[in-house]
């Protein structure tokens, strides 16, 4: 029979260059992530890890859908309460890379990782250029963030054959979110402690055939306001969490005061 790994690797949009991404399980902000194109390289990399280190070895989607020739992913914020109710926050957002997509240099993280902690380093090196020296196509998104509405407009203009907008993508993502938490519901809050909740950051990627792929699930997701878009997203999300999980136990004063 065909192994699960071989099945994934043979998927059309997964590509044929045998490219894999290796991520430590205990880091965030893009730290420690490497991209390889042979199992020998992966094996050599893992031999340098200390005993007990845990990593995820994941097939790299070699043919992602691109935004202005650059890679992007979609960050979705999901809250789970002590009753295992799952809430998908309505305002997901896209994270874009700064460099045009290419597989010619798989070690260039400015191409292959969309984490803001990585991309802001590239932004700093470009600040020597004055804004009026840049062409319109080179002026990138504030904080490398993009709303789902903006993504939808881009898809309508550049990929009309798919007949999909931001809400169509979110419908598919919500379906995947249900499956994700159904698969782990016994492991989350196993003691069913009351009056608890957690917010997760789920990252999804679209391939060039408009398939939705789950890339990873993050605990303690980034909620820094690196753009006006994120300020709106995070303040709304935190307000929603408070209403769902805190207000029932600590009702706001009558009249909605402070």
């Amino acid at each position: 029979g065909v192994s699960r790994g071989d099945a994934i690797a043979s998927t059309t949009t997964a590509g044929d260059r045998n490219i894999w991404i290796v991520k430590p399980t205990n880091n965030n902000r893009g730290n420690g992530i490497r991209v390889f194109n042979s199992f020998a390289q992966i094996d050599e990399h893992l031999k340098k890890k200390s005993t007990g280190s845990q990593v995820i070895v994941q097939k790299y989607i070699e043919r992602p859908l691109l935004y202005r020739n650059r890679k992007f992913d979609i960050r979705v914020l999901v809250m789970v309460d002590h009753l295992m109710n799952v809430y998908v926050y309505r305002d997901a957002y896209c994270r874009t890379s700064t460099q045009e997509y290419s597989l010619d240099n798989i070690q260039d993280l400015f191409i292959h990782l969309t984490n803001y902690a990585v991309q802001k380093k590239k932004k700093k090196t470009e600040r020597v250029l004055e804004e009026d020296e840049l062409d319109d196509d080179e002026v990138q998104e504030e904080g490398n963030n993009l709303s789902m509405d903006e993504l939808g407009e881009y898809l309508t203009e550049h990929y009309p054959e798919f007949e999909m907008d931001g809400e169509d993508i979110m419908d598919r993502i919500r379906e995947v979110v249900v499956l994700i938490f159904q698969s782990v519901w016994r492991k989350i809050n196993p003691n069913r402690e009351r009056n608890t909740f957690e917010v997760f950051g789920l990252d999804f990627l679209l391939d060039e055939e408009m398939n939705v792929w789950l890339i990873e699930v993050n605990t303690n997701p980034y909620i820094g306001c690196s753009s006006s878009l994120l300020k709106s997203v995070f303040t709304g999300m935190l307000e929603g969490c408070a209403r769902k999980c805190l207000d029932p136990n600590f009702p706001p004063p009558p009249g909605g005061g402070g």
Side-chain angles (χ1 to χ4, degrees):
V2 178
S3 72
R4 184 168 178 267
D6 289 339
I8 294 173
S10 66
T11 302
T12 303
T13 51
D16 56 9
R17 297 201 191 185
N18 198 37
I19 298 178
W20 296 77
I21 188 166
V22 180
K23 310 173 183 179
T25 60
N26 60 346
N27 282 358
N28 56 12
R29 302 169 67 84
N31 291 318
I33 296 179
R34 297 286 302 279
V35 182
F36 300 100
N37 59 8
S38 77
F39 286 108
Q41 292 176 347
I42 295 173
D43 187 53
E44 188 65 27
H45 174 67
L46 296 182
K47 286 179 180 177
K48 299 175 183 178
K49 295 286 184 180
S50 59
T51 303
S53 297
Q54 293 183 324
V55 301
I56 294 173
V57 180
Q58 188 175 24
K59 183 66 186 78
Y60 189 82
I61 305 301
E62 299 175 18
R63 292 165 55 189
L65 190 75
L66 302 179
Y67 178 80
R68 303 190 186 282
N69 297 318
R70 291 176 283 126
K71 186 178 176 181
F72 71 94
D73 65 13
I74 301 171
R75 167 59 63 88
V76 180
L77 298 165
V78 177
M79 187 193 79
V80 181
D81 67 16
H82 70 278
L83 297 175
M84 284 304 295
N85 294 310
V86 177
Y87 302 89
V88 178
Y89 187 59
R90 63 179 180 273
D91 293 332
Y93 62 95
C94 303
R95 308 182 304 174
T96 62
S97 61
T98 52
Q99 298 288 91
E100 287 197 0
Y101 183 73
S102 170
L103 291 176
D104 293 338
N105 183 0
I106 61 174
Q107 298 303 325
D108 189 339
L109 299 185
F110 297 125
I111 296 175
H112 300 289
L113 299 187
T114 60
N115 308 63
Y116 178 68
V118 173
Q119 296 299 330
K120 70 179 181 180
K121 297 174 184 176
K122 180 65 175 178
K123 289 283 191 180
K124 287 180 180 178
T125 67
E126 296 176 340
R127 286 176 187 164
V128 295
L129 292 175
E130 297 296 332
E131 189 73 15
D132 57 9
E133 293 183 77
L134 298 173
D135 296 331
D136 287 342
D137 289 342
E138 293 177 293
V139 178
Q140 297 178 353
E141 309 77 39
E142 180 191 9
N144 283 80
N145 304 134
L146 191 71
S147 72
M148 292 300 290
D149 286 343
E150 291 172 306
L151 174 63
E153 292 171 0
Y154 182 82
L155 296 179
T156 298
E157 180 179 355
H158 295 274
Y159 300 97
E161 66 274 17
F162 291 118
E163 298 182 343
M164 292 184 68
D165 59 17
E167 191 55 37
D168 294 323
I169 295 168
M170 286 303 300
D171 286 343
R172 177 56 183 147
I173 285 176
R174 292 185 191 100
E175 293 174 359
V176 177
V177 169
V178 171
L179 297 175
I180 291 168
F181 286 96
Q182 282 180 339
S183 70
V184 297
W185 73 273
R186 291 183 182 274
K187 296 183 179 181
I188 298 178
N189 191 17
N191 297 324
R192 294 298 183 258
E193 297 180 4
R194 293 183 56 79
N195 303 318
T196 60
F197 69 93
E198 185 166 1
V199 175
F200 299 89
L202 281 62
D203 296 332
F204 293 87
L205 182 142
L206 301 176
D207 66 26
E208 63 179 22
E209 296 177 0
M210 205 61 81
N211 298 308
V212 174
W213 295 79
L214 171 70
I215 302 302
E216 61 186 38
V217 177
N218 300 275
T219 57
N220 190 29
Y222 172 81
I223 56 170
C225 297
S226 56
S227 68
S228 55
L229 171 63
L230 291 195
K231 182 177 180 180
S232 173
V233 170
F234 295 147
T235 53
M237 180 272 294
L238 293 172
E239 175 68 20
C241 289
R243 289 182 181 274
K244 288 290 185 183
C245 298
L246 298 182
D247 286 0
N249 296 299
F250 304 98

